[in-house]
Amino acid sequence: MKKCMSFKMFAAACAVLLAFPFASQADDAKFVEGKDVPQEYVNGQGTPFVLIPAGEFMMGSDIHARNAENYCSNTGPCHLVKHSKPFYMGKFVVTHEEYEKFVNATGYETAAEKAGIGSTYRVEERDGGRYGNWGMIEGCTWRTPGIDISPRHPACTINFFDVKAYIDWLNTVEKPENDFGVPCVYRLPTEAEWEYACRAGTTTDFFWGDRAEDGKGYLCCAGTEGAPLDAVWGEHFPFDDGFIASAPVGSFKPNPFGLYDMLGLVWEWVGDYYAPDYFQHSPEVDPKGPEKGDEKGTVIARGGCWGQDQFYNNCWARRPIDPHYGGCALGFRLVLVPCDR
């Protein structure tokens, strides 16, 4: 596989990792000017956030996707991205119990609840075998996503607008400015923020290295354990991850930045619209994605999920997705930043 790597990138990656423990003390890029902040921040909902340092990295991949018109389209060109300021990112994806707090407080109904149908896992019989697949099922919602869940499982079967409603609510009930002294806002990460945080100073296909088989213990994925409903995965990682489907957040080892489940578990909504050629002309410093999307408003999800293999569960795979879609392998993670970002 072609690597997007140079001596400059190697040096930059090393610098990021060396700077990470002291990120809150960096003179050139503070989360709040003139104020030291904690490495980990826990908000009023009990949600932990990890401080991600400013730095630069090589984003994307020049590898040609085997399915270029679907999940992994337009992963290149590999290009330099600089993050000029630190930001806080959720240590975990938002959980079922966290989303439930929002619904109980507001009476909000998700799109799947209103429609009475949602996307979930199902079995497809072909070639004499039973294979895991995805499809629309009546009664599938965030409360009943069609797979076993617990309060600590990721919130799923929620579309982009359901996520936005949660964030709007969180920004009304949480007052992080009381802790940081400046107005702050919760939002989805940009795609560049997400990949930078996922890679955590590494330059390989996965944050643990280039070998898929070395990922055991790092992610919830399609593995040798098989699929739900006595099915099998068509393609999978070469190990048993310990879970037939999804898993509680934090069940696996974190990446070098201390973030859990950045690969596998659930695809994660990011805040960027999708444009096939965006990486060809995106800004080098703090890119925020295209200003507008296509006629559907297609946005990006990153990170892969519990039902997919190493071609999707890696640092560079991109999934363009209809914002009205919500499925049992799709969730979200938040960032916290001052309002001027």
Side-chain angles (χ1 to χ4, degrees), residues 82-97:
K82 299 178 180 179
H83 290 290
S84 64
K85 301 288 185 181
F87 56 93
Y88 279 105
M89 177 170 270
K91 193 173 188 176
F92 311 106
V93 294
V94 172
T95 64
H96 184 90
E97 64 183 351

Side-chain angles (χ1 to χ4, degrees), residues 66 126 131 221-223 232-238 307-312:
R66 69 177 177 211
R126 67 177 189 273
Y131 297 90
C221 60
V232 297
W233 300 117
E235 298 183 31
H236 54 74
F237 279 80
Q308 290 177 316
D309 64 10
Q310 56 265 37
F311 201 80
Y312 306 98

Side-chain angles (χ1 to χ4, degrees), residues 118-121 134 136 140 145 155-159 266 269 306 319 321 324-331:
S119 177
T120 189
Y121 171 87
W134 317 93
M136 300 298 288
C140 177
C156 62
T157 321
I158 46 180
N159 71 20
V266 287
W269 290 107
W306 55 263
R319 181 180 179 182
I321 189 167
H324 296 91
Y325 173 83
C328 67
L330 178 61

Side-chain angles (χ1 to χ4, degrees), residues 20 22 26 45 184 188 235 243 275 296 299 302 319 323:
F20 176 61
F22 314 103
Q45 306 300 309
C184 295
L188 289 172
E235 298 183 31
F243 294 88
K296 291 183 179 179
V299 291
R302 298 294 300 262
R319 181 180 179 182

Side-chain angles (χ1 to χ4, degrees), residues 31-262:
F31 181 77
V32 177
E33 290 299 326
K35 182 179 177 67
D36 288 333
V37 296
Q39 190 63 51
E40 185 170 310
Y41 171 73
V42 180
N43 71 9
Q45 306 300 309
T47 304
F49 289 79
V50 175
L51 187 66
I52 307 301
E56 64 182 51
F57 77 115
M58 297 301 290
M59 183 174 182
S61 171
D62 291 324
I63 297 169
H64 295 291
R66 69 177 177 211
N67 189 4
E69 295 181 356
N70 198 355
Y71 294 109
C72 297
S73 59
N74 304 295
T75 60
C78 200
H79 57 288
L80 179 67
V81 169
K82 299 178 180 179
H83 290 290
S84 64
K85 301 288 185 181
F87 56 93
Y88 279 105
M89 177 170 270
K91 193 173 188 176
F92 311 106
V93 294
V94 172
T95 64
H96 184 90
E97 64 183 351
E98 289 171 325
Y99 200 81
E100 187 174 37
K101 287 181 184 179
F102 153 64
V103 171
N104 289 342
T106 63
Y108 182 82
E109 279 191 302
T110 64
E113 288 175 299
K114 292 176 182 177
I117 190 171
S119 177
T120 189
Y121 171 87
R122 65 182 182 181
V123 170
E124 179 181 277
E125 296 189 11
R126 67 177 189 273
D127 302 326
R130 292 166 58 83
Y131 297 90
N133 207 333
W134 317 93
M136 300 298 288
I137 303 292
E138 289 188 5
C140 177
T141 72
W142 70 275
R143 299 179 188 274
T144 54
I147 55 173
D148 291 336
I149 59 170
S150 72
R152 293 295 293 166
H153 273 70
C156 62
T157 321
I158 46 180
N159 71 20
F160 190 74
F161 305 105
D162 298 328
V163 170
K164 289 289 191 179
Y166 174 87
I167 294 173
D168 288 345
W169 168 78
L170 190 65
N171 278 317
T172 64
V173 298
E174 283 293 309
K175 303 296 180 185
E177 57 266 31
N178 294 340
D179 298 310
F180 297 111
V182 297
C184 295
V185 64
Y186 294 94
R187 58 169 171 79
L188 289 172
T190 66
E191 187 178 13
E193 287 170 341
W194 188 95
E195 186 172 327
Y196 175 67
C198 178
R199 290 186 178 278
T202 67
T203 60
T204 45
D205 286 342
F206 317 99
F207 59 74
W208 61 79
D210 271 327
R211 289 161 40 98
E213 55 266 39
D214 294 337
K216 185 175 175 62
Y218 283 104
L219 80 167
C220 185
C221 60
T224 58
E225 71 282 351
L229 304 178
D230 297 321
V232 297
W233 300 117
E235 298 183 31
H236 54 74
F237 279 80
F239 53 78
D240 183 340
D241 71 357
F243 294 88
I244 290 292
S246 185
V249 302
S251 296
F252 298 86
K253 292 182 286 189
N255 76 357
F257 277 175
L259 301 172
Y260 290 79
D261 310 308
M262 289 297 288

